[in-house]
Amino acid sequence: MAIINQNLNILCWNATGIMSSSTYLCDILNRKAIDICGISEHWLYEKDLNFLNEIDNNYRSHAVSDAALHFPGRRRVGKGGVAILWHKRHDQNIAPVYLDEDRIIGIKYTCNSDCAYYFFQIYLPCSNHSITVYIEYIDRLRNILYLYSQRGIVVLLGDMNANLMPDSSKGNYSGRSLYLSNFLQENNMTSLNTLEFCTGAKSSFVSYDNSCESLIDHILFPLDKLYYVRDCEICDDACLNVSRHRPIYCRIRTPTYQKWSESIAIEPDSNINWRKANVDSISEYRQCLSNNELLQGFENNEINTMNDVDHAYVTLVTDVKNAAAQCFPKKG
């Protein structure tokens, strides 16, 4: 058997009411060729959750409404709610994870018999709730990690309502940000959209009057599995986006098996014109490799199984070749 790495395009976004945001969601699902999309604050009542399946006929959903909507009241629009959408081509790989939660929802993505991802979309309590309530949900995330990290790679997506954009005047975190930061350190995780290789906008939330920006939406990923991540982006605002939040996008590798007897497409070795490589291009190449966080992270990665060896090999070769293609002249 050969291990073939494929890519998964992941998106998480606080839609702030999916009824008014569906046009933008449909657009970005197709523009980014999204495989799995986590949604916070869809604002749908339980009887209206099927609307998520109608945004784009190519996607299915697993969703839950805010528990407060189960009780009668004067509120005529929804609130809260989380959901995960996936492209139908992944139906055979995906199984919903059922939790007794209205702020956390999950799916299992089976890559092969030895590897699975667990994606959890999260909407943590905002400042309207006490810090005690926030800490309770951080503890729930700890329980989820303890339970599912033994079965696969756990990825936490969503609106964490904790700003991980450091205050330049203090240089550290406080309040909710401190609890989330400590949670990440304790569980050897990081927010992909806080790392240097993340492109696009610097903040994920912008107030309607543009007076406040923060980084409260995150894709949280295990540090020792960071070599699975190919890139990350905070998507810039578009005219169709009526939410105050920007989507967070990332692309990750997912291994699948293929028999050796099956035909495997091999790309040409290189189209680099090595004869025209000069001192400047070589210096640029070295700088590009030294700045590559994925390659730097290999020193701390745990490589315990044959799958880990194969993933490490593919990552090293791919990133080194990409750096060469970026820095050296091409053949005619």
Side-chain angles (χ1 to χ4, degrees):
M1 303 290 283
I3 294 181
I4 307 299
N5 280 272
Q6 297 179 346
N7 294 323
L8 277 181
N9 295 327
I10 310 298
L11 190 79
C12 78
W13 183 42
N14 183 318
T16 320
I18 197 62
M19 289 288 191
S20 58
S21 302
S22 59
T23 301
Y24 178 57
L25 178 60
C26 187
D27 172 73
I28 199 169
L29 287 175
N30 288 276
R31 180 159 44 87
K32 291 285 192 182
I34 298 301
D35 298 292
I36 295 173
C37 174
I39 297 292
S40 297
E41 287 203 87
H42 54 63
W43 290 9
L44 296 174
Y45 283 83
E46 190 170 350
K47 62 182 179 62
D48 299 321
L49 289 178
N50 192 56
F51 176 78
L52 293 164
N53 296 321
E54 299 173 356
I55 294 173
D56 188 310
N57 290 332
N58 293 313
Y59 289 84
R60 302 188 195 278
S61 67
H62 176 40
V64 64
S65 297
D66 191 303
L69 299 178
H70 297 166
F71 303 98
R74 296 181 178 179
R75 192 177 183 93
R76 296 188 179 183
V77 296
K79 57 178 287 190
V82 287
I84 296 182
L85 283 67
W86 65 87
H87 199 283
K88 290 180 179 178
R89 62 174 169 266
H90 299 295
D91 278 351
Q92 63 181 358
N93 301 89
I94 288 178
V97 175
Y98 293 97
L99 305 169
D100 187 20
E101 298 282 355
D102 65 342
R103 289 181 176 269
I104 308 171
I105 199 165
I107 61 169
K108 175 185 179 181
Y109 183 96
T110 302
C111 306
N112 55 60
S113 58
D114 297 322
C115 179
Y117 280 101
Y118 286 88
F119 296 98
F120 292 94
Q121 177 66 22
I122 297 158
Y123 175 48
L124 292 186
C126 65
S127 56
N128 292 336
H129 300 268
S130 69
I131 191 66
T132 302
V133 175
Y134 190 87
I135 295 172
E136 288 176 359
Y137 274 92
I138 290 292
D139 288 338
R140 296 183 192 189
L141 294 185
R142 285 194 180 93
N143 293 336
I144 286 174
L145 277 178
Y146 177 79
L147 180 61
Y148 290 98
S149 60
Q150 303 175 42
R151 308 177 187 182
I153 302 170
V154 177
V155 184
L156 305 179
L157 318 165
D159 183 353
M160 308 298 172
N161 270 308
N163 183 19
L164 293 186
M165 182 185 292
D167 185 339
S168 58
S169 63
K170 298 179 181 178
N172 53 24
Y173 300 123
S174 61
R176 285 168 164 75
S177 302
L178 180 61
Y179 284 107
L180 181 60
S181 178
N182 289 340
F183 167 78
L184 296 180
Q185 293 180 18
E186 292 167 6
N187 294 282
N188 198 32
M189 299 189 78
T190 187
S191 169
L192 296 183
N193 44 292
T194 63
L195 302 180
E196 289 187 3
F197 67 79
C198 181
T199 59
K202 297 302 181 183
S203 61
S204 65
F205 172 86
V206 182
S207 61
Y208 285 126
D209 59 1
N210 294 320
S211 63
C212 174
E213 293 190 17
S214 59
L215 192 60
I216 60 176
D217 306 274
H218 304 280
I219 296 179
L220 308 181
F221 207 86
L223 273 170
D224 61 345
K225 303 295 183 184
L226 200 58
Y227 55 86
Y228 284 104
V229 182
R230 301 208 60 173
D231 45 44
C232 180
E233 176 189 0
I234 301 176
C235 301
D236 285 324
D237 273 335
C239 60
L240 294 174
N241 185 5
V242 297
S243 170
R244 296 165 296 170
H245 296 256
R246 297 182 174 111
I248 312 296
Y249 163 86
C250 79
R251 187 167 47 135
I252 61 176
R253 296 184 177 98
T254 161
T256 57
Y257 284 131
Q258 182 174 346
K259 294 180 179 179
W260 287 113
S261 58
E262 296 177 2
S263 60
I264 302 176
I266 304 297
E267 296 181 359
D269 216 8
S270 174
N271 66 341
I272 295 173
N273 192 338
W274 294 105
R275 292 184 179 181
K276 291 188 177 181
N278 54 34
V279 174
D280 291 337
S281 59
I282 293 174
S283 176
E284 182 184 357
Y285 177 60
R286 288 175 174 169
Q287 188 67 27
C288 190
L289 291 179
S290 64
N291 291 338
N292 189 309
E293 293 191 7
L294 294 180
L295 296 181
Q296 293 174 3
F298 269 102
E299 183 178 354
N300 300 319
N301 289 339
E302 294 184 7
I303 300 180
N304 301 318
T305 67
M306 291 300 295
N307 278 353
D308 291 339
V309 173
D310 284 317
H311 292 314
Y313 169 78
V314 170
T315 302
L316 281 169
V317 172
T318 300
D319 283 31
V320 169
K321 289 177 67 176
N322 287 344
Q326 176 182 335
C327 302
F328 292 117
K330 308 291 190 300
K331 293 179 181 177

